[in-house]
Amino acid sequence: MDSLKSREILEILEKDSRTTAETIAGMLGLAPTQVKAEIDRFEQEGIIKHYATTIDWEKAGVEKIIAFVDITVVPARDVGFDSIALRIARHPEVTSAWLVSGGSDLSIMVEGTSLKDLANFVAEKIAAVDGVTGTNTHFLLRKYKEDNVLFHDIEPDNRLVMSP
Amino acid sequence: MPEKNISGQNLKSLSKTASELPQSGIRRFFDIASQMANVISLGVGEPDFATPWTVREAAIYSIEKGQTTYTSNLGLIELRREISKLNFKRYGVEYNPDTEILITTGVAQGLDLVARALLDPGDEVIIPEPCFVSYKPCVSLAGGIPVPVETNDTNNFQVSLAELEKKVTPRTKAILIGHPSNPTGAILERETLIEIVNFACKHGLYIISDEIYDRLTFDGDHVMVASLPGAFERTITLNGFSKTYAMTGWRIGYACAPPEILHTMMKIHSYTMLSAPTPGQKAALEAARRGERDAVLMAAEYKRRRSLIVGGLNEIGLTCLNPGGAFYAFPSVRSTGLTSEQFAEQLLYSKQVAVVPGSVFGLGGEGHVRCSYATDSKLLKEALVRIGSFVDELSKVSVQPQSPKQKTDQLV
């Protein structure tokens, strides 16, 4: 398949992972079997990692405590940051982990059910890791946008029902 | 004070030209559809996206700063410069921002200005149809006579030179084309455009070229008429920000033409409009400078939807050419045995899907309906399902035909 179409399949799924292979095929002028095969390949090769849903938990009435933690690290010989980063990232409380430029080295997102839980987790399982020289924790107060979606009410379609 | 009464005896009549102006054929369907619940409308002639945020934000900032006065008659010079640059970059056509570009209140006003600048009473304008609903009224209101030329789906809505030659008279002043086309979505091929230009040169005609959908072409680059040999000095290019940047409500368009034509249009504009709305011009300036990313993303989305709807309609049995541009599919409904009005009306009543009958767009439109795909792809898919079941049911009942007359009567 040509690489532009492959990329477009990924872009469509990134926007809405529930778009069916049939619909994507319709959109791109391909056969559904071609699209299915391509998506299978993406999954097998780990290009598509998984299919998730963006949820407004606050609206759902579920309390979640989220924090961003900036971590400074002494890189280890040979493996650099990778070894420490993975050691940290494997914890289920850590929902995302990135190597970043600037004042800190790693930036992670952690999620828990209470402020105390999260604070303890950071103190005991992150700050205490060999090679970690400092942490700076920012608690999330409100979400405005996530995964390209604004967290506010959708504006209705105000267009005239018919126009020239 | 003259006494008014119900029969209007003491009141002279309204303008004959204006009174005789037909009401848009869309109106009746609009009235029905707007009273209905659960309608999926494929009848909308504007983007479903909101204007890109960068544009809205720039306009808000400009309003906050109190930039709310008139601009020059021609429009903001910065905006005219951006338009000039974009035309040159995309099409290699150089319009002088000081003398050859006029910011209008949408292409609709540009059309009105052109018609009034070019026409004396009785002058004729050749208009290939099906076409946008404003073309003929703008010509008539300027005292001109619209002379329609039919194009149709057998020739991909290309204009035939032979047909044009048949229509030309000593009173012919201009030819008015829109491409990519609303309602057919057809693009005029380069060869067709060259023929039109040569035809205009031969007869000394102006070319009015409405290119509002120029950035929505899906299978190749748009050809700007003014870029063709011999075209520049006789062509008035009309364009705007509405479709490319989802800015219909801002009402900002522009006209590009050689200085003498443009100056004449500007004179009319200076008395009747003064200047295009300033917040809209500021917004358009931002769109021209930083709207490209959004424009490209929206165009890509339209292209996907085109594929969905054209494939879907053909599968249903409503033969549909693959439109090269704009955001309209123009399928044939002849296989159903219904006229385009009957089809649109019955579809609306039985399945709550609104489409526009092709007949409202003039010659060559009968037998088709216009389906706008400026609608979310989920809704498009649902609309296709409904149209499919409508066509299925039609083919089942066609064994014992109902009287379509009776049905029509209930609706009027």
Side-chain angles (χ1 to χ4, degrees), chain A residues 39-109:
Chain A
I39 294 174
D40 284 348
R41 179 177 76 82
F42 290 145
E43 291 173 359
Q44 276 157 20
E45 293 180 8
I47 292 170
I48 290 178
K49 295 294 182 197
H50 80 146
Y51 300 93
T53 308
T54 304
I55 296 169
D56 188 340
W57 283 109
E58 196 180 321
K59 208 165 202 176
V62 177
E63 198 179 347
K64 296 222 175 203
I65 309 292
I66 291 167
F68 299 91
V69 188
D70 298 334
I71 307 169
T72 47
V73 174
V74 181
R77 196 185 184 104
D78 297 333
V79 292
F81 293 104
D82 295 355
S83 157
I84 287 185
L86 281 171
R87 189 182 199 97
I88 291 169
R90 286 187 211 277
H91 289 290
E93 289 88 344
V94 177
T95 52
S96 296
W98 307 278
L99 179 67
V100 296
S101 65
S104 55
D105 303 304
L106 298 174
S107 181
I108 65 170
M109 194 166 132

Side-chain angles (χ1 to χ4, degrees), chain A residues 8 11-12 15-16 20 22-30 157-164, chain B residues 26 29-30 41 43-48 132-133 182 301 304 307-308 355 370 374 377-378 381:
Chain A
E8 216 169 341
E11 284 167 353
I12 291 167
K15 255 179 39 190
D16 182 358
T20 62
E22 285 74 19
T23 301
I24 297 173
M27 286 172 165
L28 303 183
L30 298 167
D157 187 345
N158 291 317
R159 296 178 300 164
L160 295 175
V161 65
M162 282 186 130
S163 56
Chain B
I26 290 179
F29 286 88
F30 174 81
S41 182
V44 189
E46 61 178 323
D48 55 318
F132 185 55
V133 297
N182 174 6
E301 180 63 25
R304 289 174 195 151
S307 182
L308 267 184
V355 297
R370 189 192 73 175
S377 53
K378 284 195 188 110
K381 280 175 66 189

Side-chain angles (χ1 to χ4, degrees), chain B residues 68-287:
Chain B
T68 52
T69 58
Y70 295 129
T71 66
S72 96
N73 292 136
L74 286 172
L76 286 173
I77 182 63
E78 298 91 328
L79 179 56
R80 285 181 277 139
R81 285 195 190 118
E82 290 297 331
I83 291 165
S84 174
K85 270 197 265 176
L86 289 177
N87 271 329
F88 184 68
K89 194 175 115 197
R90 291 200 189 108
Y91 306 114
V93 179
E94 254 186 299
Y95 282 108
N96 183 339
D98 294 320
T99 53
E100 297 180 323
I101 298 176
L102 168 70
I103 308 300
T104 62
T105 309
V107 168
Q109 191 225 351
L111 267 173
D112 181 43
L113 291 176
V114 171
R116 289 200 268 173
L118 298 185
L119 303 178
D120 288 311
D123 283 347
E124 295 170 8
V125 178
I126 295 177
I127 307 176
E129 291 185 333
C131 71
F132 185 55
V133 297
S134 295
Y135 291 175
K136 283 201 286 191
C138 280
V139 169
S140 304
L141 284 170
I145 299 168
V147 179
V149 174
E150 179 172 346
T151 68
N152 55 57
D153 55 347
T154 54
N155 193 21
N156 204 4
F157 299 101
Q158 301 299 300
V159 191
S160 129
L161 184 62
E163 290 299 311
L164 291 180
E165 288 288 0
K166 275 191 222 160
K167 300 289 178 177
V168 77
T169 77
R171 292 307 304 267
T172 309
K173 202 114 187 224
I175 175 165
L176 166 47
I177 55 176
H179 72 110
S181 159
N182 174 6
T184 67
I187 55 160
L188 293 178
E189 286 151 20
R190 180 179 285 271
E191 296 69 45
T192 309
L193 290 172
I194 289 172
E195 278 185 1
I196 291 172
V197 173
N198 291 342
F199 165 80
C201 290
K202 179 178 162 195
H203 297 285
L205 309 180
Y206 294 98
I207 303 168
I208 307 165
S209 187
D210 171 0
E211 303 184 21
I212 184 73
Y213 292 98
D214 71 328
R215 299 300 310 287
L216 298 178
T217 57
F218 307 120
D219 306 314
D221 289 335
H222 174 77
V223 179
M224 186 181 191
V225 173
S227 73
L228 296 170
F232 186 88
E233 65 271 17
R234 62 185 66 249
T235 301
I236 300 93
T237 307
L238 301 175
N239 206 331
F241 293 82
S242 296
K243 316 291 173 171
T244 307
Y245 303 102
M247 292 181 65
T248 45
W250 300 86
R251 310 305 309 126
I252 300 296
Y254 53 90
C256 305
E260 196 188 343
I261 306 173
L262 198 97
H263 178 74
T264 309
M265 290 170 67
M266 188 273 283
K267 264 195 303 183
I268 305 167
H269 181 73
S270 73
Y271 293 124
T272 57
M273 183 65 68
L274 243 168
S275 62
T278 304
Q281 292 193 60
K282 290 283 181 187
L285 181 61
E286 177 70 9

